[in-house]
């Protein structure tokens, strides 16, 4: 039986731990994982960094820098070879979807297409009412500061988020490898702190539409454990009801620890495995 972690990070996440990739892999083997996709944040488009990022800005350290790309790839290649008898390691990226930079993202993926086995496609940044693009999952204060109007009417914030996630699914990656849509309830990361309400009927409808497009594109869903460990969230991304809805229409759910440190590997796998479609 395949036991897969489809969403993992490395020391190239500047907001994560500096533990070496070998330690992650050894831990995954100990936990009985047979397949492991390394999905570090791909470098953000250069123009995005230049146009929006200031010195103390979250956006300049969330992803690997472009000059780290070669080293990252060689590290993944190295552990692939080193552990090949014990675990099937795949090369990947977590790719930020940014509507304005679709062309740059497309070019990046084309350049790397021979190297990529799988990707996670994620929305972490949204435009606010003034057109400034800000991260939704960096700090609660950042979310409240950039999206103060939207936070007063959270259904508007939710709609903004699902509009972007739907756009990300419709984006032409140009790749022929598995694409997973990342953590599709990330907008609820600080739900307990910000007292976010439940999704209203129109958002639920948007989620139904989103799942239909994911199915139509034959994409997978990142069934992400990270929210369980976040003090202000406490749930999987997406929540079990949405995961069940996805499974019902035949979308493949792939467990993702989204580990940024070795200790986060495998968390909540047992709780989530019922919903993971096992094709093998
Ligand atoms: Zn992510
Ligand atoms: Zn991630």
């Amino acid at each position: 039986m395949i036991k897969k972690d489809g969403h993992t990070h490395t020391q190239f996440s500047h907001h994560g731990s500096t533990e070496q990739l070998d330690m992650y892999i050894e831990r995954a083997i100990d936990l009985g994982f047979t397949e492991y996709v390394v999905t570090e944040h791909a470098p953000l488009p250069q123009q995005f960094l230049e146009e929006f990022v200031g010195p103390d800005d979250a956006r300049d350290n969330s992803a690997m820098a472009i000059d780290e790309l070669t080293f990252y790839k060689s590290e993944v290649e190295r552990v692939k070879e080193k552990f090949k008898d014990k675990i099937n390691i795949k090369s990947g990226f977590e790719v930020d979807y940014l509507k304005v930079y679709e062309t740059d993202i497309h070019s990046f993926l084309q350049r790397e297409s021979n190297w990529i086995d799988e990707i996670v496609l994620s929305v972490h940044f949204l435009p606010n009412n003034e057109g400034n693009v800000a991260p939704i999952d960096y700090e609660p204060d950042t979310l409240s500061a950039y999206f103060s109007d939207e936070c007063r009417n959270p259904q508007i914030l939710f709609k903004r988020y699902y509009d972007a996630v739907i756009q990300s699914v419709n984006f032409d990656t140009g790749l022929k490898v598995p694409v997973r849509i990342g953590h599709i309830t990330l907008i609820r990361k600080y739900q307990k702190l910000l007292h976010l309400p439940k999704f209203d009927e129109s958002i639920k409808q948007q989620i139904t539409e989103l799942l239909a497009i994911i199915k139509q594109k034959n994409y997978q869903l990142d069934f992400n454990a990270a929210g369980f460990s976040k003090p202000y969230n406490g749930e999987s991304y997406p929540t079990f009801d949405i995961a069940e809805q996805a499974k019902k229409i035949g979308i493949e759910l792939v467990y993702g620890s989204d580990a940024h440190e070795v200790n986060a590997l495998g968390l909540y796998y047992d709780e989530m495995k019922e919903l993971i479609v096992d094709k093998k």
Side-chain angles (χ1 to χ4, degrees), residues 7 9 41 94 122 124 137 183 186 224 258:
H7 186 158
H9 292 275
H41 296 284
E94 180 173 13
S122 299
H124 303 108
D137 64 331
H183 43 57
L186 187 66
N224 189 306
D258 207 350

Side-chain angles (χ1 to χ4, degrees), residues 142-261:
T142 310
L143 184 70
S144 320
Y146 278 89
F147 300 96
S148 56
D149 295 344
E150 294 86 341
C151 284
R152 273 194 288 276
N153 186 350
Q155 305 298 338
I156 291 177
L157 181 69
F158 298 152
K159 180 175 186 310
R160 182 90 43 89
Y161 173 70
Y162 285 107
D163 284 347
V165 180
I166 288 172
Q167 282 161 357
S168 78
V169 181
N170 284 322
F171 164 62
D172 176 21
T173 65
L175 298 173
K176 292 185 175 59
V177 298
V179 174
R180 271 186 295 291
I181 303 304
H183 43 57
I184 62 163
T185 47
L186 187 66
I187 195 66
R188 306 195 64 95
K189 180 169 176 181
Y190 307 119
Q191 60 180 355
K192 290 180 185 169
L193 182 73
L194 303 176
H195 305 290
L196 295 181
K198 293 195 157 104
F199 295 136
D200 72 12
E201 283 310 310
S202 75
I203 300 300
K204 285 184 188 165
Q205 224 163 32
Q206 234 187 335
I207 292 170
T208 301
E209 184 197 337
L210 165 66
L211 295 178
I213 310 169
I214 291 175
K215 170 67 185 162
Q216 187 203 332
K217 295 272 269 189
N218 208 14
Y219 284 173
Q220 303 167 336
L221 204 57
D222 170 44
F223 194 23
N224 189 306
F228 278 121
S229 312
K230 299 283 187 273
Y232 300 130
N233 184 273
E235 298 178 298
S236 54
Y237 305 128
T239 46
F240 278 42
D241 53 340
I242 297 171
E244 270 164 26
Q245 192 185 345
K247 189 177 172 176
K248 231 176 248 172
I249 62 164
I251 295 172
E252 186 174 356
L253 276 64
V254 177
Y255 170 81
S257 66
D258 207 350
H260 287 78
E261 57 180 356

Side-chain angles (χ1 to χ4, degrees), residues 23-128:
M23 294 171 68
Y24 285 84
I25 306 297
E26 280 160 12
R27 175 77 180 143
I29 293 167
D30 284 348
L31 290 166
F33 282 93
T34 58
E35 211 173 302
Y36 187 100
V37 194
V38 190
T39 55
E40 192 48 85
H41 296 284
L44 290 163
Q46 196 53 38
Q47 211 188 337
F48 175 65
L49 291 170
E50 284 165 15
E51 283 180 10
F52 289 103
V53 176
D56 298 322
D57 199 305
R59 288 166 291 194
D60 64 1
N61 65 11
S62 61
M64 79 174 90
I66 188 74
D67 58 10
E68 292 174 312
L69 182 60
T70 308
F71 187 33
Y72 166 67
K73 286 164 62 179
S74 71
E75 279 293 279
V76 177
E77 292 304 313
R78 184 180 63 74
V79 295
K80 249 187 195 184
E81 182 60 26
K82 178 175 172 186
F83 295 98
K84 68 176 181 212
D85 296 333
K86 294 189 174 140
I87 191 166
N88 180 11
I89 299 173
K90 295 188 168 183
S91 323
F93 291 106
E94 180 173 13
V95 177
D96 272 281
Y97 175 75
L98 297 154
K99 183 171 172 45
V100 182
Y101 300 96
E102 282 193 352
T103 316
D104 305 73
I105 300 163
H106 188 88
S107 317
F108 172 81
L109 293 174
Q110 286 313 109
R111 277 199 303 279
E112 300 301 333
S113 62
N114 289 332
W115 187 78
I116 295 171
D117 294 322
E118 301 187 6
I119 64 164
V120 175
L121 183 60
S122 299
V123 171
H124 303 108
F125 297 94
L126 286 181
N128 69 2

